[in-house]
Every structure is written in C-alpha cells, then in structure tokens.
Amino acid sequence: MGQPFVFPHGVTVYDPQKCWNGYTIVPLINDGVLLFDMNGNEVRRWNMHAMPPKLLPGGYVMGLSGYRHPDYGMQDGVNLIEIDYDGNIVWEFDRFEHINDPGRDHRWMARQHHDYQREGNPVGYYVPGMDAKPLEGNTLILVHQTIKNPAISDKKLLDDAMIEVDWEGNILWKWSISEHFDELGFDEAAKNVLARDPNMRSSDGGVGDYLHVNCMSYLGPNKWHEQGDMRFKPDNIIFDCREANILAILDKESGKIVWKIGPDFNATPELRKLGWIIGQHHFHMIPKGLPGEGNLMVFDNGGWGGYGVPNPGSRNGSKNALRDYSRVLEFNPITLEVVWKLTPKELNHAIPTDASKFYSPYVSSAQRLPNGNTLVTEGSDGRIIEVTADHEIVWEWISPYYTHNETSPKNNMIYRGYRYPYSYVPQEPTPEEIAIPRIDNTTFRMPNAGAFGAKTVIDVEGSLPYYQDVALCVATDDEEDLSLREKVFSVDTEVFDPVNGMAEWNDKVLKQQEKPVLVLFGAERCVHCKALHPVLEEALQEEFANSFLIRYVDVDANKDIVAACHVQGIPVVAVYRNGEELRRFHGEHDYDDVCDFLDAVFA
C-alpha cells in the first residue's frame, strides 16, 4: 500500500485510562537512543548505538558504542556497554574476539548483535519483581563468529553464538548454533539450497548469514517447569532463526535443542493450524507475573524467509516462504493453540486487500504489559502501538527521526521499543498524562486545502443503493472462509445421523457391515445443499426405505474427514460398504437422478 506524502509523527492517539503508562525507549535509525513519555515529550536522547536499548532501574541504559566497519562486519557491535543517566560508562564488554581488519578496525570486539539479557530479568522488558541488576550480575550476549563448515556450505559463514559473561568480563559459557545444525530439522531440499546460497551478504568479501538469530532470552520461572516439563527449565534459552523460519528452545546445561517448531509448518496438523511463521522477531516466553504467563509470543513478520523447494515466488528455493502482512501471536507451547493474536483483520483491515496496513517485513517486537495490553513495534515504518486484549489501539507513536542520507531512500525504522515504569528514572518528575483523542482523518485538512463535502450533490434517476459487502476483484479471507456464511436451512438429524470427528467416522461409517452407508457431505449455509436435502430425504424414505444407514458430515466442522475423503465442493453424496467407497455424486440432482444413483448401488 502506498504511504501518504503527509502524515503526523510523534504520539497520535493516547488514552491514559486504558494504557499502561510509563517511559518508552527506542533506538533511532541515525540519532542514538531516545527516551520519551506517553505524550511523546522527549525526555533524554543519548548519542550512542543500541540493538536494542534497555532501561535498568536507576536510569541506567544498555547499548553499544558502534559497529565494525561494514567492509568486514555485518551488524557486529564493537562492544556492549551500560551508561548511567548522564552518559557515563559504568560497564563494558568487548573481549570476545580480537579484530584486525586491513585498513579498518584493529581492536577487541564483542561482535554483539540483536539481543542480550542482564541477570535478574529473563526477557529485557519490565516484569514486576524481576528487575535487571544495574551494577552487578552476569550478562547473556548474542554474538557473531565467522566460520568455515563444509558440512553446511563451502562458503564462509556468519555463525551465531551465545556467551554468558560475568561483571568482570570473563566468559563463563558459550554455545554455537553451527554445532547443532543437525538438530534444526532441515530436509534435503533445504540443505541443498542453503549449501548453494546461505543468504550471502557482501561484508567480509562475501559471508553467508545463513540463520540470522535475532533474539535470545531466558525462559525464567514458569508453570510448565513447575509441572515437571524439563524442556522449560528457567535457565533454558529461547531464540529464533529469522532466515530459516525456526523457533526453538535450548537446554543451557546440555546444549541440546529440546523444543522446536519450523522450518516446515506443514509437518503436523497443529503446525498447519498455527500457520507459517515467516521471518519472525522477538520470540520469547511471557514471564511469570504478567498476563499470559507461560505462553510464547512472537512478532511473525511475514515477508520472506526459509529454504526449500523452488516455487513461483522463489526461483532457487531461497526465501521460499512468502506472506505480505504481519501477525503477533501468543500461543501455548504444549498444544500450539493460539491464545491471542493481532493481524490486519483484528485492526479492521481486510486480508489480503488491505493486509499491508499491518506489515513490517523486518525488525519489530511485541511486549506484554502488566495490565494485559501489548506494546507492538511495527518497526519498518517506525510505528509503535499499544493494543488492548480486545485489539483497540489506545496509544500510537510514529518516529520523526529518519536516516540522514541525501541520495538513498529515507527510513525511520525502529528495531525494538520497550515500555518501563516511571520509577525506573528517579532523576525525572512523573510526567503529566494528557489524553490525545483520535482525529477524524476524513475531515482533517492541511491549511488552504478544500473542506470535506461536495458543493452540490445530484441524485441520478435509477441509481441503486450501495451494498454493505461490495464484491472486490480479489477474494478476502473472510469471503474464502465459507463457514462464516449465514445458515440457510436445517439438516433433518432424525434422518441424517451427524458424524463428528474421525472416531465417529470409523464407527458410524467404515466399520458398518449390515447395510451400505450413505453419507451427505454438506453445510447448512449452502444453498445447493438446501435444494438437494428434501429430494434426497424423500428418495431415502419412500423408494429406498430401510435400504441404507444414513449419515451427515458437516464439512465446516469436520475438516479432517473432508480431507481424508477428498471432498471438494458441496453437496457430495457418497455410499460406503465394508469400509470402501462404492460411488459418489456432486451437486444438485432431481428425484429421478437420485433414485438412479441409489439403484446402482444394488446393481
């Protein structure tokens, strides 16, 4: 969708009564780290870098000094630092790898990227009773290392590793994902594509950013571990691989991956129902003490990601999963059932026709707030929204900070924003909270622009009224979901015995031997089923009384039976004997045709 040339920036909507009020901290694309209040008043800006910035109690901020030169580095942070409120460095780590780049950098570097966690808080955002330690404790850091591994590819690879360091900078623990490549679940097609093109980037003479791990956090205390499931030990680490569409949990003690979904989201019925998660960011477990605790949350970007069989959107099988809108998903890690979601549809945008109105194909995040709201960074357009459980946007901020370049496209990207309580910054007075009501976009005009409404309106004779649901050139997903259509008749269940689920299908249809079993596959929202139903019922009760066991399958409620029987389009009438299908017909038929069909069963 095209972006308007003129639109507001800063806070555009604010309902103090419905928001979880506090300070928001964001990394700006070219202007450091910004802290601002609920009305968008900019409290302090630090000229530093961050991926992402995190606010600690006492006004301390974590981030980094900058990045390795792009001739050799791809998002390699030179260090990880913590500053006090006045910008003084109180902690620094950089001694992961000594770098000697000809003509460029010669120094120790952390090669930090995308995420880190300070002891005391598992996820980096505010959790009641779980404050990160500002002046002590260990730090978990996501880092890069450059490797050669012929078992993965003959290309040079940018590998993702995790390290834990103490306050003095000693490395206490390290885990490298390349050492667990065989646990990631790639099929042979994906391995072949990845080997040929491991997402090659231009830095360092060409290096394959083959997985692109972009988040990493502890699980923290959780109900699953308390119930005895050792996959969810509090010290276990949850992460995702953006380029491979993989979401996983590793056992910190053994190093093994103990929970994983992806890269194939067609692998099980539960994954198919969850839907393809593509190019995701900020995958984490909602910490104990917040609404939804124990569920998993992810910003499912869409866009492109994955390796596999080529398709029309991917000629060579790289980035072979595609979707042009984003989702925020909260789901149960055991059943994979979605508990809460935010998609274009929840924001009143039709899919696919207006789906790109909620779409960030890279960066972005989702933070669960203590009042049950969710802070969503739709990062590619510099937008952050606070959304209630009922999907009402009660706060919105658009970044007014853009890239400084004069020749390339301008960008106001926000990698990840966080909300923290006012008490985290005791140096500042508690801000005043002033509501910002939503404006009417249809009547808002720039100075000197014409007002809304035509000077004269002419009624043209014979013009019909507009219908509420106008057919579009492209079917929306609601239109495709026929199960949502209004009921037009009722199946006579005294005659057509309903079958629900595969167990009943086996018992009521496949295992029956005394008579042939006639099954009507249909739905009460189907006008063709409505037309066939009385004709079929009359034939079965008059001409063929007691000749068949008669069943009905609601196709909207029994997708598994429909798939197993290859039913496409309704109505379908099929006859089974001794577990085998004898014959079927599709669509409306008159009385004579139905009788001829039933006669043929006994021929």
Side-chain angles (χ1 to χ4, degrees):
M1 296 294 181
Q3 187 181 71
F5 185 69
V6 176
F7 58 96
H9 289 69
V11 176
T12 64
V13 175
Y14 174 36
D15 186 337
Q17 301 303 314
K18 294 183 178 180
C19 285
W20 190 80
N21 299 295
Y23 288 120
T24 302
I25 193 168
V26 296
L28 303 172
I29 186 70
N30 275 169
D31 290 282
V33 171
L34 180 66
L35 184 75
F36 58 95
D37 66 21
M38 297 300 293
N39 281 92
N41 298 302
E42 299 183 7
V43 177
R44 187 158 293 204
R45 182 165 62 87
W46 297 271
N47 284 320
M48 62 187 293
H49 299 253
M51 195 176 193
K54 298 183 181 181
L55 186 64
L56 278 60
Y60 295 92
V61 176
M62 294 190 72
L64 60 142
S65 298
Y67 292 92
R68 186 179 182 185
H69 194 280
D71 283 354
Y72 293 93
M74 224 289 290
Q75 297 180 322
D76 284 356
V78 299
N79 58 9
L80 184 64
I81 62 173
E82 180 185 341
I83 62 171
D84 66 17
Y85 197 60
D86 293 322
N88 302 300
I89 296 176
V90 300
W91 180 83
E92 177 181 9
F93 173 78
D94 65 359
R95 298 183 73 84
F96 176 63
E97 181 180 343
H98 195 271
I99 298 298
N100 284 295
D101 294 336
R104 296 299 182 188
D105 297 299
H106 301 275
R107 58 171 291 175
W108 280 97
M109 288 191 187
R111 299 191 70 182
Q112 181 269 332
H113 69 97
H114 285 95
D115 220 345
Y116 54 89
Q117 306 298 339
R118 171 62 59 80
E119 184 179 346
N121 180 291
V123 293
Y125 62 68
Y126 176 67
V127 182
M130 294 189 193
D131 291 334
K133 299 178 178 181
L135 295 175
E136 62 175 329
N138 295 349
T139 306
L140 185 69
I141 309 175
L142 183 59
V143 297
H144 278 146
Q145 56 187 5
T146 305
I147 65 168
K148 292 281 288 187
N149 188 331
I152 299 174
S153 175
D154 61 0
K155 312 292 193 302
K156 184 165 48 178
L157 298 175
L158 192 65
D159 196 33
D160 296 296
M162 303 173 192
I163 58 173
E164 184 179 10
V165 303
D166 62 18
W167 185 257
E168 289 73 32
N170 301 302
I171 297 176
L172 309 176
W173 176 85
K174 179 184 176 186
W175 183 88
S176 302
I177 197 166
S178 58
E179 297 173 3
H180 299 269
F181 182 77
D182 290 340
E183 299 173 41
L184 296 177
F186 290 112
D187 61 22
E188 289 304 311
K191 289 179 181 178
N192 290 336
V193 171
L194 192 156
R196 292 193 299 271
D197 178 11
N199 189 36
M200 294 299 293
R201 306 300 298 267
S202 60
S203 297
D204 204 14
V207 63
D209 184 21
Y210 69 114
L211 293 175
H212 197 92
V213 174
N214 62 23
C215 61
M216 169 207 67
S217 58
Y218 292 109
L219 296 181
N222 63 86
K223 60 185 178 182
W224 313 113
H225 178 252
E226 292 167 0
Q227 293 168 8
D229 195 329
M230 299 306 289
R231 296 176 297 173
F232 303 104
K233 291 187 287 188
D235 284 341
N236 285 359
I237 297 169
I238 184 169
F239 67 96
D240 71 51
C241 306
R242 182 254 181 272
E243 288 298 324
N245 305 333
I246 292 173
L247 301 84
I249 297 172
L250 68 91
D251 185 293
K252 188 169 183 280
E253 184 177 5
S254 70
K256 298 293 185 182
I257 293 175
V258 294
W259 182 100
K260 180 183 70 68
I261 59 175
D264 180 8
F265 286 85
N266 287 329
T268 67
E270 292 79 12
L271 286 172
R272 287 194 294 273
K273 186 175 180 181
L274 182 65
W276 277 78
I277 296 176
I278 303 170
Q280 69 288 327
H281 283 75
H282 202 205
F283 178 50
H284 65 279
M285 179 174 281
I286 299 174
K288 190 171 185 178
L290 291 174
E293 61 180 55
N295 292 329
L296 303 180
M297 180 170 281
V298 64
F299 191 100
D300 174 15
N301 294 70
W304 52 89
Y307 303 93
V309 177
N311 59 54
S314 172
R315 291 185 299 172
N316 65 359
S318 178
K319 300 176 176 59
N320 73 328
L322 306 167
R323 190 184 67 242
D324 291 332
Y325 64 88
S326 298
R327 308 186 296 170
V328 175
L329 298 178
E330 176 189 347
F331 61 96
N332 183 302
I334 308 298
T335 65
L336 305 186
E337 287 286 332
V338 173
V339 177
W340 183 85
K341 63 182 177 179
L342 184 71
T343 75
K345 185 182 297 184
E346 282 73 35
L347 297 174
N348 294 318
H349 305 310
I351 299 175
T353 50
D354 287 323
S356 63
K357 291 179 179 175
F358 183 62
Y359 182 33
S360 178
Y362 68 111
V363 299
S364 307
S365 62
Q367 172 188 350
R368 179 54 47 82
L369 299 169
N371 67 347
N373 291 354
T374 304
L375 188 74
V376 178
T377 303
E378 188 186 356
S380 64
D381 289 327
R383 182 189 190 210
I384 305 179
I385 55 177
E386 182 177 341
V387 185
T388 69
D390 294 326
H391 309 108
E392 179 186 358
I393 295 176
V394 293
W395 181 87
E396 179 185 55
W397 178 82
I398 309 295
S399 174
Y401 288 89
Y402 285 75
T403 46
H404 295 174
N405 63 72
E406 297 300 328
T407 57
S408 301
K410 294 279 188 179
N411 187 308
N412 66 338
M413 178 199 85
I414 297 294
Y415 169 58
R416 187 190 299 172
Y418 286 123
R419 176 76 51 77
Y420 294 96
Y422 296 132
S423 61
Y424 267 37
V425 188
Q427 297 87 346
E428 301 287 347
T430 300
E432 185 179 7
E433 299 168 353
I434 305 173
I436 301 175
R438 190 183 306 269
I439 66 169
D440 185 348
N441 288 325
T442 64
T443 58
F444 177 77
R445 293 292 185 274
M446 297 297 294
N448 303 320
F452 177 79
K455 179 180 177 181
T456 304
V457 177
I458 304 296
D459 291 326
V460 179
E461 184 178 356
S463 294
L464 298 175
Y466 288 94
Y467 297 110
Q468 182 176 354
D469 298 318
V470 178
L472 301 173
C473 297
V474 178
T476 65
D477 66 339
D478 280 344
E479 184 175 339
E480 293 167 347
D481 187 358
L482 300 176
S483 66
L484 299 177
R485 289 187 176 178
E486 184 178 356
K487 176 178 173 180
V488 294
F489 82 109
S490 296
V491 172
D492 185 349
T493 54
E494 296 295 324
V495 177
F496 295 88
D497 183 15
V499 176
N500 291 298
M502 289 301 298
E504 285 195 8
W505 174 258
N506 289 328
D507 291 339
K508 290 186 174 183
V509 178
L510 300 184
K511 293 181 180 180
Q512 295 298 322
Q513 297 183 348
E514 58 174 301
K515 297 177 184 178
V517 184
L518 181 141
V519 182
L520 169 62
F521 294 90
E524 293 178 332
R525 42 90 182 164
C526 170
V527 294
H528 305 292
C529 302
K530 177 182 179 181
L532 176 65
H533 179 273
V535 177
L536 182 61
E537 183 174 14
E538 181 182 354
L540 289 169
Q541 290 186 320
E542 298 293 335
E543 303 288 340
F544 296 89
N546 301 316
S547 298
F548 295 90
L549 298 175
I550 305 168
R551 308 290 188 244
Y552 167 65
V553 172
D554 180 345
V555 297
D556 295 331
N558 294 281
K559 302 291 188 184
D560 48 355
I561 300 176
V562 169
C565 297
H566 306 288
V567 173
Q568 295 180 336
I570 52 175
V572 169
V573 174
V575 177
Y576 296 81
R577 178 184 284 149
N578 298 326
E580 298 291 332
E581 182 179 329
L582 300 180
R583 58 193 293 114
R584 70 168 64 186
F585 72 75
H586 302 75
E588 297 180 32
H589 284 59
D590 62 24
Y591 188 83
D592 290 338
D593 287 341
V594 168
C595 289
D596 289 344
F597 171 84
L598 299 177
D599 265 332
V601 173
F602 301 101

Short mmCIF file of all heavy atoms in Angstrom, two decimals, residues 408-428:
data_model
loop_
_atom_site.label_atom_id
_atom_site.label_comp_id
_atom_site.label_asym_id
_atom_site.label_seq_id
_atom_site.Cartn_x
_atom_site.Cartn_y
_atom_site.Cartn_z
N SER A 408 19.97 8.11 -0.85
CA SER A 408 19.25 6.83 -0.74
C SER A 408 17.86 7.07 -0.15
O SER A 408 17.57 8.15 0.37
CB SER A 408 20.04 5.87 0.15
OG SER A 408 21.33 5.63 -0.40
N PRO A 409 16.99 6.06 -0.21
CA PRO A 409 15.65 6.21 0.38
C PRO A 409 15.71 6.53 1.87
O PRO A 409 16.56 6.02 2.59
CB PRO A 409 15.02 4.84 0.13
CG PRO A 409 15.75 4.28 -1.03
CD PRO A 409 17.15 4.77 -0.91
N LYS A 410 14.82 7.39 2.32
CA LYS A 410 14.74 7.74 3.74
C LYS A 410 14.05 6.63 4.52
O LYS A 410 13.15 5.96 4.01
CB LYS A 410 13.97 9.05 3.91
CG LYS A 410 14.68 10.27 3.32
CD LYS A 410 15.73 10.80 4.26
CE LYS A 410 16.29 12.13 3.76
NZ LYS A 410 17.32 12.67 4.68
N ASN A 411 14.43 6.48 5.79
CA ASN A 411 13.90 5.40 6.59
C ASN A 411 13.83 5.85 8.04
O ASN A 411 14.77 6.46 8.54
CB ASN A 411 14.81 4.17 6.45
CG ASN A 411 14.26 2.94 7.10
OD1 ASN A 411 13.87 2.94 8.26
ND2 ASN A 411 14.23 1.84 6.37
N ASN A 412 12.71 5.56 8.74
CA ASN A 412 12.59 5.88 10.17
C ASN A 412 12.42 4.61 11.00
O ASN A 412 11.77 4.60 12.04
CB ASN A 412 11.43 6.84 10.42
CG ASN A 412 10.07 6.24 10.12
OD1 ASN A 412 9.97 5.27 9.36
ND2 ASN A 412 9.01 6.80 10.69
N MET A 413 13.06 3.55 10.58
CA MET A 413 12.95 2.23 11.21
C MET A 413 13.21 2.29 12.72
O MET A 413 14.09 3.00 13.19
CB MET A 413 13.95 1.28 10.56
CG MET A 413 13.98 -0.11 11.15
SD MET A 413 15.51 -0.99 10.74
CE MET A 413 16.60 -0.41 12.03
N ILE A 414 12.44 1.51 13.47
CA ILE A 414 12.68 1.26 14.89
C ILE A 414 12.87 -0.25 15.06
O ILE A 414 11.98 -1.04 14.75
CB ILE A 414 11.50 1.74 15.76
CG1 ILE A 414 11.32 3.26 15.65
CG2 ILE A 414 11.72 1.33 17.21
CD1 ILE A 414 12.45 4.08 16.21
N TYR A 415 14.04 -0.66 15.55
CA TYR A 415 14.31 -2.09 15.71
C TYR A 415 13.39 -2.73 16.75
O TYR A 415 12.69 -3.69 16.49
CB TYR A 415 15.78 -2.31 16.09
CG TYR A 415 16.08 -3.72 16.54
CD1 TYR A 415 15.83 -4.80 15.69
CD2 TYR A 415 16.59 -3.98 17.80
CE1 TYR A 415 16.09 -6.11 16.10
CE2 TYR A 415 16.86 -5.27 18.21
CZ TYR A 415 16.60 -6.33 17.36
OH TYR A 415 16.86 -7.62 17.76
N ARG A 416 13.39 -2.15 17.96
CA ARG A 416 12.54 -2.71 19.02
C ARG A 416 12.35 -1.65 20.10
O ARG A 416 13.33 -1.06 20.56
CB ARG A 416 13.19 -3.95 19.63
CG ARG A 416 12.33 -4.70 20.64
CD ARG A 416 13.12 -5.77 21.38
NE ARG A 416 13.67 -6.80 20.51
CZ ARG A 416 14.51 -7.74 20.91
NH1 ARG A 416 14.90 -7.77 22.18
NH2 ARG A 416 14.98 -8.64 20.05
N GLY A 417 11.11 -1.39 20.47
CA GLY A 417 10.83 -0.45 21.55
C GLY A 417 10.41 -1.17 22.82
O GLY A 417 9.84 -2.27 22.76
N TYR A 418 10.70 -0.56 23.98
CA TYR A 418 10.32 -1.12 25.27
C TYR A 418 9.61 -0.05 26.11
O TYR A 418 9.93 1.13 26.02
CB TYR A 418 11.54 -1.59 26.06
CG TYR A 418 12.19 -2.87 25.58
CD1 TYR A 418 13.53 -2.89 25.23
CD2 TYR A 418 11.48 -4.06 25.53
CE1 TYR A 418 14.16 -4.07 24.83
CE2 TYR A 418 12.09 -5.24 25.13
CZ TYR A 418 13.44 -5.24 24.78
OH TYR A 418 14.04 -6.40 24.38
N ARG A 419 8.68 -0.48 26.94
CA ARG A 419 7.99 0.39 27.90
C ARG A 419 8.44 0.01 29.32
O ARG A 419 8.43 -1.18 29.68
CB ARG A 419 6.48 0.22 27.75
CG ARG A 419 5.61 0.98 28.73
CD ARG A 419 5.50 2.47 28.43
NE ARG A 419 5.13 2.77 27.05
CZ ARG A 419 3.90 2.67 26.53
NH1 ARG A 419 2.89 2.27 27.30
NH2 ARG A 419 3.67 2.99 25.28
N TYR A 420 8.81 1.03 30.12
CA TYR A 420 9.25 0.81 31.50
C TYR A 420 8.49 1.75 32.43
O TYR A 420 8.01 2.81 32.00
CB TYR A 420 10.75 1.06 31.64
CG TYR A 420 11.62 0.09 30.87
CD1 TYR A 420 12.09 0.40 29.60
CD2 TYR A 420 11.98 -1.13 31.43
CE1 TYR A 420 12.89 -0.48 28.90
CE2 TYR A 420 12.80 -2.02 30.73
CZ TYR A 420 13.24 -1.69 29.46
OH TYR A 420 14.04 -2.58 28.76
N PRO A 421 8.41 1.42 33.72
CA PRO A 421 7.68 2.30 34.66
C PRO A 421 8.45 3.60 34.89
O PRO A 421 9.68 3.66 34.78
CB PRO A 421 7.60 1.46 35.94
CG PRO A 421 8.72 0.48 35.84
CD PRO A 421 8.89 0.19 34.38
N TYR A 422 7.73 4.66 35.24
CA TYR A 422 8.34 5.94 35.54
C TYR A 422 9.41 5.80 36.64
O TYR A 422 10.41 6.53 36.65
CB TYR A 422 7.28 6.95 36.01
CG TYR A 422 6.25 7.31 34.97
CD1 TYR A 422 4.88 7.30 35.30
CD2 TYR A 422 6.60 7.68 33.68
CE1 TYR A 422 3.92 7.67 34.37
CE2 TYR A 422 5.65 8.04 32.74
CZ TYR A 422 4.30 8.03 33.09
OH TYR A 422 3.36 8.38 32.16
N SER A 423 9.17 4.87 37.57
CA SER A 423 10.08 4.73 38.72
C SER A 423 11.49 4.31 38.31
O SER A 423 12.43 4.46 39.09
CB SER A 423 9.51 3.71 39.71
OG SER A 423 9.38 2.43 39.09
N TYR A 424 11.65 3.80 37.11
CA TYR A 424 12.99 3.42 36.64
C TYR A 424 13.88 4.65 36.42
O TYR A 424 15.10 4.51 36.30
CB TYR A 424 12.89 2.61 35.34
CG TYR A 424 12.83 1.11 35.53
CD1 TYR A 424 12.14 0.55 36.60
CD2 TYR A 424 13.45 0.25 34.63
CE1 TYR A 424 12.09 -0.82 36.77
CE2 TYR A 424 13.41 -1.13 34.79
CZ TYR A 424 12.72 -1.66 35.87
OH TYR A 424 12.67 -3.02 36.04
N VAL A 425 13.29 5.83 36.32
CA VAL A 425 14.07 7.05 36.09
C VAL A 425 13.77 8.02 37.23
O VAL A 425 13.00 8.99 37.09
CB VAL A 425 13.73 7.69 34.72
CG1 VAL A 425 14.69 8.84 34.43
CG2 VAL A 425 13.82 6.65 33.60
N PRO A 426 14.39 7.82 38.40
CA PRO A 426 14.10 8.69 39.55
C PRO A 426 14.63 10.10 39.35
O PRO A 426 14.25 11.00 40.12
CB PRO A 426 14.82 7.98 40.70
CG PRO A 426 15.92 7.18 40.05
CD PRO A 426 15.34 6.74 38.73
N GLN A 427 15.47 10.31 38.35
CA GLN A 427 16.02 11.65 38.09
C GLN A 427 14.97 12.61 37.53
O GLN A 427 15.20 13.83 37.51
CB GLN A 427 17.20 11.55 37.10
CG GLN A 427 18.38 10.75 37.59
CD GLN A 427 18.27 9.26 37.31
OE1 GLN A 427 17.19 8.75 36.97
NE2 GLN A 427 19.38 8.54 37.46
N GLU A 428 13.85 12.07 37.04
CA GLU A 428 12.83 12.91 36.41
C GLU A 428 11.54 12.92 37.23
O GLU A 428 11.19 11.91 37.85
CB GLU A 428 12.52 12.39 35.00
CG GLU A 428 13.70 12.35 34.04
CD GLU A 428 14.13 13.71 33.57
OE1 GLU A 428 13.37 14.70 33.77
OE2 GLU A 428 15.24 13.82 33.01
#
